[in-house]
């Protein structure tokens, strides 16, 4: 029997109506582009969050996580208000509570649910554990209540829960990756139209491996630095008379930079525009089966995030530099930054050497040991049981 379903039964004294799962993600390229209406190329991880769930008719939401020893949090659906979250609807519970609120706020009829959550997506590692929880909950509730949302609509609703209820001003990339990714593919996302293309991305067949290096430096997107980056992009677009930085073409970059006085703003714009271009070029290389040639663009993307966007940290820089020096084709931080994980594209048989080199470098620098795991592009959210 599915473990989440089993534990649901132990906890609530009856069986769930189903179990739904949604994965964490790694972004291959296209960082800090999603709130600029730009492009991104994430893929889903095999690690996922499972939600066992059943409907209720009394307007009550009961939430429980396998990671929390105490009993379920009980919430009154009509009291879910982002301005005054009820007691208990904070921490991890804010995510599923936020989803229920977003569904009701969109006028979708939800009359309550019992939920039990079980996840192996690492938290605070920049691998979108929050999006996995939001998307799994959204899929569970929309399926249970027969609400006909498309996957992009589902992702947008999950994002709204995070923006408006949890209070994190993220873009839509993580939720789209979790909701829409397919096995063996990267997901090319246009974050303006939410159009998607599934790009074959089979590292194993090419003798390659992708390593995820979790620096174990906890990142926190709510801490203001992310919101400041976002604001300076929007200000720069307005100063250039554009709806979004997405509308600044790569070959118009130098001219546009000359029109901006503020050096920090210039650097932010340069990152976003060159990053969108890297997404385009990496998609072309993947389509042509030239996977190894994406490496230098990955490392270039890291330098841009480190120097122009200023969202890296010493541990991420060390992981990237060491993996590249140990023979990786290319490496970069992935996700929002300020900690979290890096990814590295290597020959499959170089794994022991790269792992040894990065582990040694962390030890010598006095950092706690990183967690290094191979990642293969996996499927998106689905009903399990
Ligand atoms: C976080 C956000 C995403 C995106 C990335 C940076 O993961 O949740 O929306 O902005 O940072 O690319």
């Amino acid at each position: 029997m599915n473990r989440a379903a089993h534990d649901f039964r132990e906890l609530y004294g009856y069986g769930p109506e189903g179990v739904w799962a949604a994965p964490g993600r790694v972004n291959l390229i296209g960082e800090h582009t999603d709130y600029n209406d730009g492009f991104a190329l994430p893929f889903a991880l095999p690690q996922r969050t499972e939600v066992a769930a059943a409907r209720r008719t009394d307007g009550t939401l009961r939430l429980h996580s396998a990671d929390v020893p105490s009993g379920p949090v009980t919430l009154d659906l009509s009291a879910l208000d982002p301005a005054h979250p009820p007691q208990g609807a904070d921490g991890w519970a804010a995510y599923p509570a936020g989803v229920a609120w977003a569904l009701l706020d969109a006028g979708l009829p939800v009359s309550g649910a019992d939920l039990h959550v079980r996840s192996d997506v690492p938290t605070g590692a920049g691998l979108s554990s929050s999006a996995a929880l939001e998307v799994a909950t959204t899929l569970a509730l929309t399926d249970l209540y027969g609400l006909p949302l498309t996957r992009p609509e589902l992702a947008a609703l999950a994002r709204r829960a995070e923006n408006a209820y949890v209070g994190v001003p993220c873009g839509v990339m993580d939720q789209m990756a979790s909701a829409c990714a397919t096995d063996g593919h990267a997901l090319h996302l246009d974050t303006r139209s939410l159009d998607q293309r599934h790009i074959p991305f089979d590292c194993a067949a090419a003798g390659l491996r992708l390593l995820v290096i979790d620096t174990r430096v906890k990142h926190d997107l709510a801490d203001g630095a992310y919101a400041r980056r976002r604001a300076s992009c929007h200000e720069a677009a307005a100063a250039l008379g554009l709806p979004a930085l997405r509308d600044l073409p790569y070959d118009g970059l130098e001219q546009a930079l000359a029109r901006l006085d503020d050096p920090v703003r210039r650097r932010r714009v340069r990152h976003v525009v060159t990053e969108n271009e890297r997404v385009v070029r990496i998609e072309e290389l993947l389509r042509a089966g030239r996977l190894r040639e994406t490496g230098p663009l990955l490392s270039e993307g890291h330098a841009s995030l480190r120097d122009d966007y200023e969202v890296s940290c010493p541990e991420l820089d060390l992981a990237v530099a060491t993996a590249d020096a140990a023979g990786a084709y290319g490496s970069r931080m992935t996700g929002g930054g300020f900690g979290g994980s890096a990814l590295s594209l290597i020959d499959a048989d170089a794994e022991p050497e790269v792992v040894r080199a990065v582990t040694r470098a962390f030890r010598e620098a006095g950092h706690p040991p990183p967690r290094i795991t191979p990642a293969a592009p996996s499927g998106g959210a689905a009903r399990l049981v």
Side-chain angles (χ1 to χ4, degrees), residues 25 27 29-35 40 126-128 130-131 159 162-163 168-175 219 221 226 230 271 275 305 309 311 332-337:
R25 65 96 189 91
N27 190 19
I29 193 77
E31 218 66 87
H32 290 277
T33 49
D34 63 352
Y35 49 81
L127 302 175
S128 293
S130 328
R159 176 206 181 180
E162 182 150 352
N163 287 172
V168 177
C170 62
V172 78
M173 167 178 64
D174 305 339
Q175 292 79 7
H219 74 138
L221 291 186
Y226 182 92
R230 196 186 157 112
H271 167 72
E275 185 78 351
L305 288 161
Y309 220 64
V311 291
R332 60 181 287 272
M333 53 154 277
T334 184

Side-chain angles (χ1 to χ4, degrees), residues 31-45:
E31 218 66 87
H32 290 277
T33 49
D34 63 352
Y35 49 81
N36 292 300
D37 282 3
F39 306 123
L41 198 57
F43 63 88
L45 285 168

Side-chain angles (χ1 to χ4, degrees), residues 141-206:
L141 293 177
T142 52
D143 252 15
L144 279 175
Y145 281 94
L147 306 173
L149 297 192
T150 63
R151 288 301 170 110
E153 285 169 347
L154 192 146
L157 194 130
R159 176 206 181 180
R160 174 134 206 277
E162 182 150 352
N163 287 172
Y165 194 90
V166 184
V168 177
C170 62
V172 78
M173 167 178 64
D174 305 339
Q175 292 79 7
M176 281 293 287
S178 186
C180 305
T182 52
D183 200 19
H185 293 78
L187 182 74
H188 181 281
L189 259 185
D190 177 331
T191 63
R192 172 173 279 166
S193 63
L194 297 192
D195 281 350
Q196 343 151 18
R197 295 192 290 269
H198 299 274
I199 317 295
F201 185 35
D202 188 349
C203 290

